[in-house]
Amino acid sequence: MKDAKTRKKLFKIGSNALILVAGLLFVVFLEFTPWLAQLENATYDFVFRVRPRLTPSPQLAIAALDESSVKELGPPPWSRRVLAALLQKMKAGGARMAVFDMLFDYENPTKDDPEGDLLFADAIAKFGKVILAKDISTTSDPQFSLEQTIEPLPIFTDAGARTGFIRTIPDEDTKIRRSCWLVNEQSTLAAQAYMEITGEVISLRNNQVYIGDRRVPTESVGPYPGFVINYVGPSHTIPTRSIYQIIDGTIPPGFLKDKVVFVGADLAAENKTGGAGVDRFPTPVDEETLMPGVEIHADALNTMLTGAFIRTVSPGVTWLVLVLLAILTSIYCGVLKPLSAGFATLATIVIAAVAVYYVFAHFNLWLPSVRPTFLIVFVYSANTLMQYRMAVRERAQIQGAFKHYVSAEVLNELMKDPGKLGLGGREVEATVLFTDIAGFSKISEKITPQELTHMLNQYFELLASVIMKEGGMVNKFIGDAVMALWGVPLDNPNHAIQACRAALKIHRAMLVMDPVRCRIGINSGTMIAGNMGSRERFEYTVIGDAVNLASRLEGVNKPYQTDAMISEMTEEKVRGSFLLREVDSIRVVGKARPVRIYQLLDVVENKDAPEHERWSEMTESFIPGLEAYKVRNWDKAARIFAQHITLFPEDSVGRIYMERCRNFLTAPPASDWDGVYQMETK
């Protein structure tokens, strides 16, 4: 006994160590999956949005080309005379610097004002510190790729304007989280503004960016060195005024005093994905709206001026934290019961989430949060599963009996009451569904055994998935046939409805196997359910007349050329939930009592679908003919069915009735004819 306990303890320790290593390897695997970065970005964005807004640098302001400017000054492009007036007003207001998020690579856009460029150049020279945008144009095809820099017109740079790249590179989810320091070793708009303000030089050395001799955070932004933008808040957090207000002089006094004023578009975008075409982009801080590109550049400069760069912990520290969390979770699982260990693990995740938020909000340091969470959950889940496995092994008698059963429902019931393992059964009310493949013999003759096996496996997998999802039990596979049960081993008042839903879903799912089709028969009634067989080998199943009738109904589809047939017993239980059509009253082989059969067409919830409307029309067209047929009015019935077939040529049942009526017109049935059709085959 002591050796057994020792072995058990050693096994548990070894399993915990193996799980810990497997968890760390799992995290390594996550590094190579694209959705890890997506989840990490989503977490990062959430924390960004819920943290308090930052106070933007008092040196920053935005002059927006917005709707009011368009209303008062007309739609762009404007004459450069307007921008000259803007610079004059900004200079008069005491602005320190003007940074234009606009390209000036073409001559004055309004041909009726040829002096516009001269006036704008003169305003640039008088203002003193003006930065104009430039960008990169790339032309490529399979033979070559050409990259050109779009520069402002020489008249403006000759007047003293500096330039900066406006290139922004989004992450894979299209959000702008980073800004470039340099593009092709030349400064961006924000970087140029920073150098003009501080007099410090931004340079690149050994793939690291330096401001003077001070190294600053550097991350790859596409092919360029960049940094994470520490957005102060959502759109319009940085003080913004309309260009029209500035020109008109209706801004608050001192709004421009000593400010670096970014000038750019802020027009509403119908394109919700944003992009360069509308100069609005998705960002981490705007959940529903898009941020103007000009404000993104202003936020980048704000990050530089405040020095509030967002950093990410080093890989070494990250892995140290991961190992410690994995060990801590393993200790929980080793000394606590699974439920208590679960609460402790959940508390660890919550504490870690709070720590991530606190460190980010107060220290601008981003701690990876997705990998630790996945690791903790993996270690806890694996340990709990291992403990459950050990507990299951100790119940060897019950587990040994599990191999006789294929249904999870049966297994659950047996776990509750092992006494049910004995032979015998009980009377239940349930629904049975039989299916088989139409024309299976012909199909099997045309394909190889390997292809046939693959087709059957696909067919069985498809049917089993639908049946189990609808609460049914796949009882057995018989050649190409499937037998499924509802209402056993557990009582289920909706057994007939779920079986009919499964039948319709099976036919929809079978579309992927076109042209392979299956026929379905469904019957509800009283039957015996339980373990049948010998004490050495038995199976859980159902027997009785109701089961046999379901099997017969599946075969009845063949002469009527239908897909799904249900009995009157099932129809009574599902009436009002499905679109049904009474097909016939038949007497199956081996049975004296006739049964009314119905074609299962669709669920009533699908009444707005075009195919549902056609089936409804087909059923309404069919009913008068059937009523005339039942009262032996063959001539009227034949005319109704002939008209019905004209409207619904695809309805094989209507065609069968038309032929019957025509035959009865020439050779009427006996006087004691009861309207029941005798099936000649099974």
Side-chain angles (χ1 to χ4, degrees), residues 30 46 82 107 112 142 225 242 246 276 308 341 345 372 423-424 454 510 515 529 535 543 582 628 659 665 675:
L30 290 179
F46 174 77
V82 175
E107 294 183 358
D112 58 344
S242 168
I246 296 174
T345 301
L423 296 177
H454 175 74
M510 286 289 294
R535 294 190 181 277
I543 58 174
E582 182 181 347
E659 293 299 325
L665 282 171

PDB file of all heavy atoms in Angstrom, residues 30 46 82 107 112 142 225 242 246 276 308 341 345 372 423-424 454 510 515 529 535 543 582 628 659 665 675:
ATOM      1  N   LEU A  30       2.368  29.481 -29.484  1.00  0.00           N
ATOM      2  CA  LEU A  30       1.500  30.643 -29.698  1.00  0.00           C
ATOM      3  C   LEU A  30       2.232  31.781 -30.387  1.00  0.00           C
ATOM      4  O   LEU A  30       1.625  32.576 -31.122  1.00  0.00           O
ATOM      5  CB  LEU A  30       0.935  31.137 -28.364  1.00  0.00           C
ATOM      6  CG  LEU A  30      -0.095  30.256 -27.656  1.00  0.00           C
ATOM      7  CD1 LEU A  30      -0.526  30.902 -26.349  1.00  0.00           C
ATOM      8  CD2 LEU A  30      -1.298  30.020 -28.541  1.00  0.00           C
ATOM      9  N   PHE A  46      -7.993  47.728 -25.507  1.00  0.00           N
ATOM     10  CA  PHE A  46      -8.976  47.860 -24.424  1.00  0.00           C
ATOM     11  C   PHE A  46      -8.390  48.638 -23.250  1.00  0.00           C
ATOM     12  O   PHE A  46      -9.031  49.550 -22.709  1.00  0.00           O
ATOM     13  CB  PHE A  46      -9.432  46.474 -23.971  1.00  0.00           C
ATOM     14  CG  PHE A  46     -10.340  46.502 -22.773  1.00  0.00           C
ATOM     15  CD1 PHE A  46     -11.671  46.856 -22.902  1.00  0.00           C
ATOM     16  CD2 PHE A  46      -9.856  46.186 -21.511  1.00  0.00           C
ATOM     17  CE1 PHE A  46     -12.504  46.898 -21.797  1.00  0.00           C
ATOM     18  CE2 PHE A  46     -10.676  46.224 -20.401  1.00  0.00           C
ATOM     19  CZ  PHE A  46     -12.008  46.582 -20.547  1.00  0.00           C
ATOM     20  N   VAL A  82      -5.781  81.159 -49.558  1.00  0.00           N
ATOM     21  CA  VAL A  82      -6.464  80.880 -48.291  1.00  0.00           C
ATOM     22  C   VAL A  82      -5.454  80.428 -47.244  1.00  0.00           C
ATOM     23  O   VAL A  82      -5.482  80.870 -46.087  1.00  0.00           O
ATOM     24  CB  VAL A  82      -7.553  79.809 -48.494  1.00  0.00           C
ATOM     25  CG1 VAL A  82      -8.179  79.423 -47.151  1.00  0.00           C
ATOM     26  CG2 VAL A  82      -8.616  80.294 -49.453  1.00  0.00           C
ATOM     27  N   GLU A 107       0.987  72.748 -58.578  1.00  0.00           N
ATOM     28  CA  GLU A 107       0.825  74.196 -58.566  1.00  0.00           C
ATOM     29  C   GLU A 107      -0.554  74.576 -58.036  1.00  0.00           C
ATOM     30  O   GLU A 107      -1.430  73.733 -57.870  1.00  0.00           O
ATOM     31  CB  GLU A 107       1.028  74.749 -59.980  1.00  0.00           C
ATOM     32  CG  GLU A 107       2.463  74.565 -60.479  1.00  0.00           C
ATOM     33  CD  GLU A 107       2.665  75.175 -61.847  1.00  0.00           C
ATOM     34  OE1 GLU A 107       1.685  75.690 -62.411  1.00  0.00           O
ATOM     35  OE2 GLU A 107       3.807  75.131 -62.353  1.00  0.00           O
ATOM     36  N   ASP A 112      -7.765  80.306 -61.564  1.00  0.00           N
ATOM     37  CA  ASP A 112      -8.144  81.717 -61.666  1.00  0.00           C
ATOM     38  C   ASP A 112      -7.423  82.588 -60.645  1.00  0.00           C
ATOM     39  O   ASP A 112      -7.709  83.776 -60.514  1.00  0.00           O
ATOM     40  CB  ASP A 112      -9.661  81.854 -61.502  1.00  0.00           C
ATOM     41  CG  ASP A 112     -10.129  81.288 -60.167  1.00  0.00           C
ATOM     42  OD1 ASP A 112      -9.339  80.537 -59.548  1.00  0.00           O
ATOM     43  OD2 ASP A 112     -11.269  81.584 -59.767  1.00  0.00           O
ATOM     44  N   PRO A 142       5.271  43.178 -62.081  1.00  0.00           N
ATOM     45  CA  PRO A 142       6.174  42.016 -61.999  1.00  0.00           C
ATOM     46  C   PRO A 142       7.595  42.272 -62.486  1.00  0.00           C
ATOM     47  O   PRO A 142       8.520  41.561 -62.105  1.00  0.00           O
ATOM     48  CB  PRO A 142       5.466  40.968 -62.880  1.00  0.00           C
ATOM     49  CG  PRO A 142       4.016  41.349 -62.815  1.00  0.00           C
ATOM     50  CD  PRO A 142       3.991  42.842 -62.728  1.00  0.00           C
ATOM     51  N   PRO A 225      12.381  52.560 -38.727  1.00  0.00           N
ATOM     52  CA  PRO A 225      12.423  52.602 -37.259  1.00  0.00           C
ATOM     53  C   PRO A 225      11.295  53.482 -36.732  1.00  0.00           C
ATOM     54  O   PRO A 225      11.022  54.556 -37.279  1.00  0.00           O
ATOM     55  CB  PRO A 225      13.799  53.208 -36.969  1.00  0.00           C
ATOM     56  CG  PRO A 225      14.097  54.059 -38.168  1.00  0.00           C
ATOM     57  CD  PRO A 225      13.484  53.340 -39.340  1.00  0.00           C
ATOM     58  N   SER A 242     -11.413  75.064 -36.099  1.00  0.00           N
ATOM     59  CA  SER A 242     -11.599  75.071 -37.539  1.00  0.00           C
ATOM     60  C   SER A 242     -10.675  76.104 -38.192  1.00  0.00           C
ATOM     61  O   SER A 242     -10.407  77.172 -37.629  1.00  0.00           O
ATOM     62  CB  SER A 242     -13.056  75.379 -37.862  1.00  0.00           C
ATOM     63  OG  SER A 242     -13.211  75.663 -39.232  1.00  0.00           O
ATOM     64  N   ILE A 246     -10.047  80.289 -37.374  1.00  0.00           N
ATOM     65  CA  ILE A 246      -8.770  80.996 -37.236  1.00  0.00           C
ATOM     66  C   ILE A 246      -8.703  82.171 -38.206  1.00  0.00           C
ATOM     67  O   ILE A 246      -8.331  83.290 -37.839  1.00  0.00           O
ATOM     68  CB  ILE A 246      -7.595  80.020 -37.455  1.00  0.00           C
ATOM     69  CG1 ILE A 246      -7.589  78.949 -36.353  1.00  0.00           C
ATOM     70  CG2 ILE A 246      -6.270  80.770 -37.485  1.00  0.00           C
ATOM     71  CD1 ILE A 246      -6.550  77.867 -36.558  1.00  0.00           C
ATOM     72  N   ALA A 276      -5.867  56.372 -46.283  1.00  0.00           N
ATOM     73  CA  ALA A 276      -5.301  57.596 -46.823  1.00  0.00           C
ATOM     74  C   ALA A 276      -6.299  58.361 -47.680  1.00  0.00           C
ATOM     75  O   ALA A 276      -6.243  59.577 -47.788  1.00  0.00           O
ATOM     76  CB  ALA A 276      -4.061  57.254 -47.651  1.00  0.00           C
ATOM     77  N   ALA A 308       6.897  60.322 -22.862  1.00  0.00           N
ATOM     78  CA  ALA A 308       6.078  59.232 -22.300  1.00  0.00           C
ATOM     79  C   ALA A 308       6.007  58.076 -23.285  1.00  0.00           C
ATOM     80  O   ALA A 308       4.928  57.670 -23.732  1.00  0.00           O
ATOM     81  CB  ALA A 308       4.683  59.759 -21.973  1.00  0.00           C
ATOM     82  N   ALA A 341      -8.801  25.188  -6.456  1.00  0.00           N
ATOM     83  CA  ALA A 341      -7.691  25.551  -7.343  1.00  0.00           C
ATOM     84  C   ALA A 341      -8.196  26.432  -8.486  1.00  0.00           C
ATOM     85  O   ALA A 341      -7.507  27.354  -8.932  1.00  0.00           O
ATOM     86  CB  ALA A 341      -7.029  24.298  -7.901  1.00  0.00           C
ATOM     87  N   THR A 345      -6.843  30.055  -9.301  1.00  0.00           N
ATOM     88  CA  THR A 345      -6.338  30.364 -10.639  1.00  0.00           C
ATOM     89  C   THR A 345      -7.039  31.587 -11.214  1.00  0.00           C
ATOM     90  O   THR A 345      -6.399  32.468 -11.807  1.00  0.00           O
ATOM     91  CB  THR A 345      -6.541  29.155 -11.572  1.00  0.00           C
ATOM     92  OG1 THR A 345      -5.846  28.029 -11.031  1.00  0.00           O
ATOM     93  CG2 THR A 345      -6.020  29.449 -12.965  1.00  0.00           C
ATOM     94  N   PRO A 372       0.382  34.935 -20.633  1.00  0.00           N
ATOM     95  CA  PRO A 372       0.224  34.458 -19.257  1.00  0.00           C
ATOM     96  C   PRO A 372      -1.153  33.862 -18.991  1.00  0.00           C
ATOM     97  O   PRO A 372      -1.271  32.835 -18.302  1.00  0.00           O
ATOM     98  CB  PRO A 372       0.456  35.722 -18.420  1.00  0.00           C
ATOM     99  CG  PRO A 372       1.310  36.585 -19.270  1.00  0.00           C
ATOM    100  CD  PRO A 372       0.861  36.329 -20.669  1.00  0.00           C
ATOM    101  N   LEU A 423     -28.808  -6.657 -17.904  1.00  0.00           N
ATOM    102  CA  LEU A 423     -29.664  -6.846 -19.062  1.00  0.00           C
ATOM    103  C   LEU A 423     -31.099  -6.483 -18.709  1.00  0.00           C
ATOM    104  O   LEU A 423     -31.517  -6.532 -17.557  1.00  0.00           O
ATOM    105  CB  LEU A 423     -29.587  -8.300 -19.536  1.00  0.00           C
ATOM    106  CG  LEU A 423     -28.218  -8.765 -20.057  1.00  0.00           C
ATOM    107  CD1 LEU A 423     -28.282 -10.227 -20.427  1.00  0.00           C
ATOM    108  CD2 LEU A 423     -27.773  -7.938 -21.230  1.00  0.00           C
ATOM    109  N   GLY A 424     -31.895  -6.169 -19.731  1.00  0.00           N
ATOM    110  CA  GLY A 424     -33.294  -5.832 -19.509  1.00  0.00           C
ATOM    111  C   GLY A 424     -33.621  -4.501 -20.126  1.00  0.00           C
ATOM    112  O   GLY A 424     -32.776  -3.858 -20.752  1.00  0.00           O
ATOM    113  N   HIS A 454     -14.321   6.213 -47.925  1.00  0.00           N
ATOM    114  CA  HIS A 454     -14.226   7.648 -47.641  1.00  0.00           C
ATOM    115  C   HIS A 454     -15.603   8.298 -47.676  1.00  0.00           C
ATOM    116  O   HIS A 454     -15.941   9.117 -46.809  1.00  0.00           O
ATOM    117  CB  HIS A 454     -13.302   8.307 -48.656  1.00  0.00           C
ATOM    118  CG  HIS A 454     -13.230   9.805 -48.524  1.00  0.00           C
ATOM    119  ND1 HIS A 454     -12.544  10.429 -47.504  1.00  0.00           N
ATOM    120  CD2 HIS A 454     -13.799  10.801 -49.272  1.00  0.00           C
ATOM    121  CE1 HIS A 454     -12.681  11.730 -47.628  1.00  0.00           C
ATOM    122  NE2 HIS A 454     -13.433  11.990 -48.685  1.00  0.00           N
ATOM    123  N   MET A 510     -26.462  17.466 -46.402  1.00  0.00           N
ATOM    124  CA  MET A 510     -26.091  16.536 -47.469  1.00  0.00           C
ATOM    125  C   MET A 510     -25.795  17.234 -48.785  1.00  0.00           C
ATOM    126  O   MET A 510     -25.285  16.613 -49.719  1.00  0.00           O
ATOM    127  CB  MET A 510     -27.213  15.518 -47.668  1.00  0.00           C
ATOM    128  CG  MET A 510     -27.309  14.458 -46.587  1.00  0.00           C
ATOM    129  SD  MET A 510     -25.932  13.291 -46.665  1.00  0.00           S
ATOM    130  CE  MET A 510     -26.251  12.487 -48.222  1.00  0.00           C
ATOM    131  N   PRO A 515     -23.975  14.406 -55.765  1.00  0.00           N
ATOM    132  CA  PRO A 515     -25.402  14.058 -55.888  1.00  0.00           C
ATOM    133  C   PRO A 515     -25.866  12.963 -54.917  1.00  0.00           C
ATOM    134  O   PRO A 515     -26.943  12.409 -55.128  1.00  0.00           O
ATOM    135  CB  PRO A 515     -25.479  13.572 -57.332  1.00  0.00           C
ATOM    136  CG  PRO A 515     -24.156  12.903 -57.545  1.00  0.00           C
ATOM    137  CD  PRO A 515     -23.145  13.687 -56.750  1.00  0.00           C
ATOM    138  N   ALA A 529     -36.745   0.004 -24.384  1.00  0.00           N
ATOM    139  CA  ALA A 529     -35.366   0.504 -24.463  1.00  0.00           C
ATOM    140  C   ALA A 529     -34.546  -0.130 -23.355  1.00  0.00           C
ATOM    141  O   ALA A 529     -34.999  -0.227 -22.205  1.00  0.00           O
ATOM    142  CB  ALA A 529     -35.345   2.021 -24.332  1.00  0.00           C
ATOM    143  N   ARG A 535     -24.638 -11.563 -21.405  1.00  0.00           N
ATOM    144  CA  ARG A 535     -23.913 -10.879 -20.334  1.00  0.00           C
ATOM    145  C   ARG A 535     -22.497 -10.527 -20.755  1.00  0.00           C
ATOM    146  O   ARG A 535     -21.882  -9.621 -20.192  1.00  0.00           O
ATOM    147  CB  ARG A 535     -23.887 -11.761 -19.082  1.00  0.00           C
ATOM    148  CG  ARG A 535     -25.267 -11.968 -18.486  1.00  0.00           C
ATOM    149  CD  ARG A 535     -25.190 -12.637 -17.117  1.00  0.00           C
ATOM    150  NE  ARG A 535     -26.527 -12.851 -16.580  1.00  0.00           N
ATOM    151  CZ  ARG A 535     -27.229 -11.927 -15.930  1.00  0.00           C
ATOM    152  NH1 ARG A 535     -26.704 -10.732 -15.745  1.00  0.00           N
ATOM    153  NH2 ARG A 535     -28.436 -12.187 -15.483  1.00  0.00           N
ATOM    154  N   ILE A 543     -36.486  -1.764 -29.209  1.00  0.00           N
ATOM    155  CA  ILE A 543     -37.177  -2.749 -30.040  1.00  0.00           C
ATOM    156  C   ILE A 543     -38.671  -2.505 -29.928  1.00  0.00           C
ATOM    157  O   ILE A 543     -39.148  -1.883 -28.975  1.00  0.00           O
ATOM    158  CB  ILE A 543     -36.841  -4.197 -29.631  1.00  0.00           C
ATOM    159  CG1 ILE A 543     -37.203  -4.421 -28.153  1.00  0.00           C
ATOM    160  CG2 ILE A 543     -35.377  -4.522 -29.891  1.00  0.00           C
ATOM    161  CD1 ILE A 543     -37.044  -5.875 -27.716  1.00  0.00           C
ATOM    162  N   GLU A 582     -49.821  15.602 -46.164  1.00  0.00           N
ATOM    163  CA  GLU A 582     -50.339  14.235 -46.108  1.00  0.00           C
ATOM    164  C   GLU A 582     -50.117  13.591 -47.471  1.00  0.00           C
ATOM    165  O   GLU A 582     -50.527  14.121 -48.509  1.00  0.00           O
ATOM    166  CB  GLU A 582     -51.823  14.232 -45.755  1.00  0.00           C
ATOM    167  CG  GLU A 582     -52.381  12.827 -45.638  1.00  0.00           C
ATOM    168  CD  GLU A 582     -53.866  12.803 -45.314  1.00  0.00           C
ATOM    169  OE1 GLU A 582     -54.413  13.870 -44.933  1.00  0.00           O
ATOM    170  OE2 GLU A 582     -54.483  11.731 -45.443  1.00  0.00           O
ATOM    171  N   ALA A 628     -60.605  14.649 -53.272  1.00  0.00           N
ATOM    172  CA  ALA A 628     -61.435  14.037 -54.313  1.00  0.00           C
ATOM    173  C   ALA A 628     -61.082  12.564 -54.491  1.00  0.00           C
ATOM    174  O   ALA A 628     -61.961  11.715 -54.717  1.00  0.00           O
ATOM    175  CB  ALA A 628     -61.254  14.795 -55.632  1.00  0.00           C
ATOM    176  N   GLU A 659     -51.682   9.194 -62.086  1.00  0.00           N
ATOM    177  CA  GLU A 659     -51.694   7.900 -62.755  1.00  0.00           C
ATOM    178  C   GLU A 659     -52.682   6.952 -62.082  1.00  0.00           C
ATOM    179  O   GLU A 659     -53.399   6.191 -62.751  1.00  0.00           O
ATOM    180  CB  GLU A 659     -50.284   7.297 -62.750  1.00  0.00           C
ATOM    181  CG  GLU A 659     -49.276   8.069 -63.589  1.00  0.00           C
ATOM    182  CD  GLU A 659     -49.675   8.126 -65.050  1.00  0.00           C
ATOM    183  OE1 GLU A 659     -50.260   7.134 -65.560  1.00  0.00           O
ATOM    184  OE2 GLU A 659     -49.424   9.175 -65.682  1.00  0.00           O
ATOM    185  N   LEU A 665     -60.117   5.133 -63.291  1.00  0.00           N
ATOM    186  CA  LEU A 665     -61.193   5.489 -64.213  1.00  0.00           C
ATOM    187  C   LEU A 665     -61.511   4.339 -65.165  1.00  0.00           C
ATOM    188  O   LEU A 665     -62.665   4.137 -65.556  1.00  0.00           O
ATOM    189  CB  LEU A 665     -60.814   6.737 -65.012  1.00  0.00           C
ATOM    190  CG  LEU A 665     -60.939   8.082 -64.280  1.00  0.00           C
ATOM    191  CD1 LEU A 665     -60.323   9.196 -65.109  1.00  0.00           C
ATOM    192  CD2 LEU A 665     -62.414   8.397 -63.992  1.00  0.00           C
ATOM    193  N   GLY A 675     -59.265   3.245 -49.428  1.00  0.00           N
ATOM    194  CA  GLY A 675     -58.290   4.314 -49.662  1.00  0.00           C
ATOM    195  C   GLY A 675     -56.891   3.990 -49.190  1.00  0.00           C
ATOM    196  O   GLY A 675     -55.991   4.825 -49.293  1.00  0.00           O
TER     197      GLY A 675
END
